[in-house]
């Protein structure tokens, strides 16, 4: 088995702003695993702000290391992925997730079955995904919320005008609203803001306070009438016992935990701690998001809108029907290059996007 990597430059439809900053594009890597005439593909896509310590350069360096320990039989999934975990005990999770996805794709193709079947999952049990409204003026966010054709919206907060934002959005949208502060609030602010948001009908709150402030999370949860979900505070299975008494649920992302295998581990550990589970994504193409979607029958909440935010998604795989996740039923991940005139390459260029204003 051998690996090839190539650059995957994704351009966003509009600048994507959260409390930590603005993203115009994602610099991801495509991972290919070749064996016996078949190719499995995966996507390594970190948090673009470098929040979890990964960049395209660190991922490429890790993948070069991983290529040395792949083994010769893709069916030995545990052996291969455990070897990656041994190579790097901590971190490099987005790089690992690219290999993990490619391996499951390869095994599914070898067996002629979709990845969800490898995990014994029912494709009819997928949840409805939220669609994210990123930070802008309250008026613009409300305009986007009104235009969005999704029954669940995730509203990015962590601004000076959070309550005004939700009020404006609620005035034009009957959607289920989830809010995500991306660690921007102090515990006291969080308690006050969440309380003030109650009249607008909020389903849950994601990562209200700083990732390491577990006491703060616990305090906010104690005062909140709606579930609190940890995202930045919970990356791997080892984090779950630490956050379990502080929150109602966790947001699992393949790029945080290292791929499908580790995500399944997290799901079982989280269930043992009676936690709700959200399945999320970084800004990534239909390749990484389809991989995550194969596990969506196991979770309570899905936030898998990555491809919907892109100008140039090079792949097709998972699709959405009024937000409901529809899994491809082809072998492996069921992802293939998007057929579009003039888009014959799997990677496209960033171009002038970075010069656009936010
Ligand atoms: Mg989040």
């Amino acid at each position: 088995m051998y690996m090839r990597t190539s650059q995957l430059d994704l351009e966003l439809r509009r600048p994507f702003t959260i409390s930590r900053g603005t993203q115009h594009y994602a610099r991801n890597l495509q991972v290919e695993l070749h064996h016996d005439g078949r190719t499995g593909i995966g996507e390594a896509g970190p948090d673009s702000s470098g929040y979890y310590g990964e960049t395209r350069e660190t991922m490429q360096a890790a993948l070069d290391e991983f290529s040395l320990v792949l083994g010769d039989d893709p069916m030995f999934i545990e052996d291969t992925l455990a070897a990656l975990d041994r190579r790097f005990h901590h971190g490099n999770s987005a790089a690992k997730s690219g290999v993990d996805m490619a391996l499951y794709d390869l095994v599914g193709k070898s067996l002629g079955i979709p990845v969800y079947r490898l995990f014994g999952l029912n494709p009819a049990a997928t949840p409805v995904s939220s669609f994210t409204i990123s930070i802008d003026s309250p008026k613009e966010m409300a305009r986007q919320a009104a235009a969005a054709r999704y029954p669940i919206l995730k509203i990015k907060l962590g601004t000076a005008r959070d309550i005004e934002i939700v009020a404006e959005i609620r005035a034009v949208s009957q959607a289920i609203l989830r809010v995500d502060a991306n660690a921007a609030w102090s515990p006291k602010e969080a308690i006050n803001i969440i309380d003030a948001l109650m009249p607008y009908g909020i389903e849950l709150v994601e990562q209200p306070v700083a990732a390491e402030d577990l006491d703060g999370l616990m305090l906010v949860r104690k005062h909140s009438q709606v579930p609190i979900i940890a995202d930045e505070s919970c990356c791997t299975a080892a984090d779950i016992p630490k956050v379990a008494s502080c929150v109602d649920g966790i947001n699992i992302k393949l790029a945080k935990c290292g791929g499908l295998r580790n995500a399944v581990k997290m799901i079982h550990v989280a269930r043992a701690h009676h936690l709700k589970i959200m399945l999320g994504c970084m800004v990534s193409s239909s390749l990484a998001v389809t991989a995550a979607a194969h596990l969506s029958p196991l979770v309570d909440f899905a936030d898998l809108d990555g491809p919907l935010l892109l100008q140039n998604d090079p792949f097709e795989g998972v699709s959405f029907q009024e937000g409901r996740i529809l899994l491809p039923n082809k072998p492996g991940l069921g992802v293939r290059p998007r057929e579009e005139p003039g888009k014959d390459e799997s990677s496209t260029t960033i171009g002038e996007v970075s010069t656009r204003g936010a």
Side-chain angles (χ1 to χ4, degrees):
M1 189 159 50
Y2 66 95
M3 183 192 298
R4 277 205 191 116
T5 58
S6 55
Q7 301 193 346
L8 199 55
D9 290 319
L10 307 173
E11 183 185 333
L12 283 152
R13 277 181 205 275
R14 54 175 54 249
F16 186 78
T17 301
I18 67 169
S19 57
R20 275 196 291 279
T22 298
Q23 180 172 2
H24 300 269
Y25 50 83
R27 297 173 73 241
N28 296 350
L29 287 171
Q30 183 178 330
V31 180
E32 292 175 13
L33 291 179
H34 297 265
H35 178 76
D36 205 16
R38 292 191 181 88
T39 304
I41 54 173
E43 177 177 359
D47 181 298
S48 73
S49 68
Y51 182 78
Y52 297 104
E54 287 187 277
T55 63
R56 175 179 280 170
E57 290 69 30
T58 69
M59 293 195 304
Q60 185 64 64
L63 290 166
D64 290 345
E65 289 270 325
F66 292 157
S67 68
L68 306 173
V69 294
L70 287 174
D72 282 329
D73 189 342
M75 297 303 292
F76 292 155
I77 295 173
E78 280 295 320
D79 285 2
T80 305
L81 298 179
L84 301 194
D85 280 340
R86 277 197 301 276
R87 201 78 178 184
F88 293 104
H89 285 293
H90 299 291
N92 296 293
S93 297
K96 276 179 196 164
S97 74
V99 183
D100 166 289
M101 282 173 221
L103 192 58
Y104 280 102
D105 188 36
L106 187 55
V107 170
K109 284 171 176 166
S110 301
L111 297 175
I113 58 173
V115 166
Y116 64 77
R117 282 193 76 83
L118 273 179
F119 287 104
L121 301 177
N122 178 356
T126 55
V128 173
S129 175
S130 55
F131 177 78
T132 303
I133 307 292
S134 79
I135 292 173
D136 205 314
S137 69
K139 280 265 176 297
E140 176 57 24
M141 289 175 77
R143 193 192 66 74
Q144 286 182 43
R149 302 183 310 276
Y150 297 91
I152 307 175
L153 299 177
K154 175 151 131 181
I155 313 302
K156 291 292 192 181
L157 296 181
T159 75
R161 302 168 75 181
D162 287 341
I163 295 159
E164 190 185 345
I165 286 169
V166 176
E168 294 255 4
I169 288 175
R170 183 48 90 207
V172 297
S173 172
Q174 291 308 304
I176 291 170
L177 300 182
R178 301 171 180 168
V179 305
D180 185 357
N182 285 107
W185 297 326
S186 71
K188 198 173 163 193
E189 280 173 338
I191 290 166
N192 291 334
I193 293 170
I194 293 168
D195 193 45
L197 292 180
M198 283 306 101
Y200 304 107
I202 301 298
E203 185 187 34
L204 58 82
V205 176
E206 203 178 312
Q207 198 65 44
V209 302
E212 60 284 358
D213 187 4
L214 301 188
D215 290 341
L217 270 182
M218 193 186 283
L219 187 70
V220 173
R221 183 196 184 204
K222 200 174 132 196
H223 287 85
S224 173
Q225 296 173 50
V226 294
I228 304 294
I229 307 292
D231 181 358
E232 285 86 340
S233 295
C234 187
C235 295
T236 69
D239 295 327
I240 294 173
K242 296 180 232 167
V243 303
S245 61
C246 309
V247 294
D248 301 283
I250 59 167
N251 184 346
I252 297 174
K253 296 175 184 169
L254 302 189
K256 287 195 302 179
C257 71
L260 294 159
R261 169 179 172 263
N262 286 345
V264 169
K265 268 193 206 172
M266 287 186 80
I267 288 168
H268 293 311
V269 174
R271 291 302 186 202
H273 285 87
H274 308 291
L275 291 169
K276 295 278 187 193
I277 297 164
M278 177 184 286
L279 191 59
C281 62
M282 302 300 181
V283 174
S284 45
S285 78
S286 280
L287 176 49
V289 170
T290 301
H294 278 276
L295 297 183
S296 67
L298 287 172
V299 307
D300 306 294
F301 312 111
D303 178 33
L304 295 176
D305 61 350
L308 304 173
L309 308 174
L310 296 180
Q311 185 68 40
N312 65 332
D313 186 359
F315 297 103
E316 48 192 29
V318 68
S319 57
F320 301 91
Q321 194 170 47
E322 291 177 12
R324 166 84 198 289
I325 294 168
L326 301 178
L327 293 173
N329 62 2
K330 297 182 181 64
L333 295 175
V335 173
R336 59 181 180 186
R338 186 172 295 276
E339 285 167 24
E340 265 181 64
K343 283 259 166 71
D344 56 345
E345 291 292 326
S346 60
S347 78
T348 50
T349 51
I350 295 168
E352 75 296 340
V353 188
S354 59
T355 61
R356 273 188 202 161

